[in-house]
Structures are given as C-alpha cells and as structure tokens.
Amino acid sequence: MNVDLSPDQQAIRDSVREFAREQVAPGAAERDQTAEFPVELVKQCAEMGLMGVSIPTEWEGAGLDSVSYALVVEELSAACASVGVIVSVNNSLACEPILDWGTDEQKKKYLTELASGRLLGAYAPSEPEAGS
C-alpha cells in the first residue's frame, strides 16, 4: 500500500499550511480570549474552496478526496483549532449528510450554498454543559 501523498495532495497541504501560518495563526490566541468569530478567515477559506473540500464540483465543492480533507483540517487546526472546527463542521456535519442522503432539490438549495461558503453550517449540542 502506498501511503505517500500525491502531488495534488501535497499542493493542497502546502497551500493551506501557508495560509494557516500567514493568515490564521496570527491572532488565534486573541480570538480565543475574546471569543471572536473569525468572519474574514472563514470568507478566505470559502474563497480557497475549503468549505466543501470533498463535495463534488457539480455541487460547488472542491471535489477533492478524503485525504485532502484531512490535510486541510489538520493544517488549519494546527494554526487555530477554532478555524479548523468551523471548516470541519461545515464539511462533515453540514455538507456530507446532505450529499449522502439529501434530495437533488435539497442539494441545489443547501449543499451548493454550504460547499461554496455562501452559507455556514452549524450544529447545536443539547447535552447539559455541551457548549461550555
């Protein structure tokens, strides 16, 4: 089994690593202390195609593989866990269920908006103390 990254996977890792070091890491501690939502960084992630990494291009995703998705989340999270979680939640908890089980109508209405980053997915834990 070959476990080396493909040239495309290396390229996505390197570009996200550079973005994470130059744009995401600076200010990460301050955002954590102030609980500021990184609106501009999320917009930049959307522009880079990171909000729908493994969503097919027909639904306005990047159409990349799961290894590329893991590399994206790893690089972002190394710079700022909050940004990594935002991108991860949008990809995995919002986009993937619609891709796997949604109707074409739901995909057109929601998935394209989520995968492109025009809409941001979220989740609401209901367990006691889940958000603290």
Side-chain angles (χ1 to χ4, degrees):
M1 179 167 85
N2 182 359
V3 294
D4 294 330
L5 298 178
S6 72
D8 287 344
Q9 291 166 337
Q10 290 174 16
I12 190 74
R13 181 205 54 206
D14 294 347
S15 67
V16 174
R17 180 177 289 170
E18 181 179 347
F19 168 70
R21 286 183 181 164
E22 293 178 4
Q23 302 295 320
V24 178
E30 182 179 343
R31 285 189 304 275
D32 282 349
Q33 291 173 346
T34 63
E36 176 187 345
F37 187 86
V39 174
E40 291 305 316
L41 290 173
V42 172
K43 286 180 184 178
Q44 289 176 296
C45 287
E47 290 169 6
M48 295 175 68
L50 305 182
M51 301 309 285
V53 176
S54 57
I55 302 303
T57 56
E58 71 179 291
W59 303 114
E60 297 193 39
L64 301 175
D65 63 355
S66 58
V67 172
S68 296
Y69 169 64
L71 293 167
V72 165
V73 173
E74 180 178 47
E75 293 299 333
L76 291 174
S77 297
C80 177
S82 297
V83 173
V85 167
I86 292 165
V87 169
S88 174
V89 165
N90 196 75
N91 276 274
S92 63
L93 295 178
C95 289
E96 288 292 335
I98 298 170
L99 177 66
D100 292 344
W101 298 292
T103 64
D104 282 347
E105 182 180 327
Q106 291 168 327
K107 291 174 186 177
K108 288 176 190 171
K109 185 173 181 178
Y110 299 110
L111 184 56
T112 57
E113 297 298 302
L114 290 162
S116 67
R118 292 186 299 267
L119 186 66
L120 184 61
Y123 70 107
S126 60
E127 297 83 6
E129 304 299 321
S132 47

